[in-house]
């Protein structure tokens, strides 16, 4: 059995010391014997949401940061929106 820590719309952040924050507030967890950071994971979604197999799928789920190999910095299509991506 696991606890529900957050729901849709919540921001979950686990600090390096293992403290869990939900929407900027540290959880009061007197039932936890030891804190742990765990693995750093990211939630990814494709641009074509109707057909993309991404973190919303249990087949993919959240991915380890080590698999993030780049960052988009320039858009070339559509041509009228060519430029840097923020």
């Amino acid at each position: 059995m696991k606890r529900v820590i957050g729901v849709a719309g919540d921001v979950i952040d686990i600090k390096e010391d293992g403290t869990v924050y939900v929407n900027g507030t540290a959880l009061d967890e007197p039932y936890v014997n030891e804190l742990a950071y765990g693995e750093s994971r990211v939630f990814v979604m494709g641009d074509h949401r109707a057909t993309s197999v991404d973190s919303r799928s249990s087949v993919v789920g959240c991915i380890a940061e080590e698999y993030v190999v780049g960052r988009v910095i320039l858009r070339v299509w559509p041509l009228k929106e060519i430029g840097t991506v923020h």
Side-chain angles (χ1 to χ4, degrees):
M1 180 166 40
K2 307 294 182 202
R3 294 179 186 275
V4 175
I5 298 297
V7 296
D10 286 341
V11 175
I12 310 300
D13 187 20
I14 304 173
K15 301 297 183 186
E16 288 186 24
D17 70 355
T19 304
V20 179
Y21 288 79
V22 178
N23 300 323
T25 302
L27 292 182
D28 180 23
E29 300 180 292
Y31 44 82
V32 174
N33 294 329
E34 61 181 303
L35 300 176
Y37 180 61
E39 297 177 3
S40 186
R41 299 282 199 173
V42 285
F43 187 94
V44 297
M45 292 177 72
D47 291 346
H48 298 286
R49 304 283 163 83
T51 59
S52 181
V53 178
D54 48 36
S55 290
R56 297 170 294 167
S57 166
S58 60
V59 174
V60 176
C62 291
I63 63 168
E65 278 188 350
E66 66 190 63
Y67 294 117
V68 177
V69 296
R71 180 181 202 142
V72 175
I73 59 171
L74 181 68
R75 174 183 22 227
V76 295
W77 192 262
L79 291 175
K80 66 181 180 180
E81 294 183 28
I82 194 168
T84 58
V85 177
H86 303 286

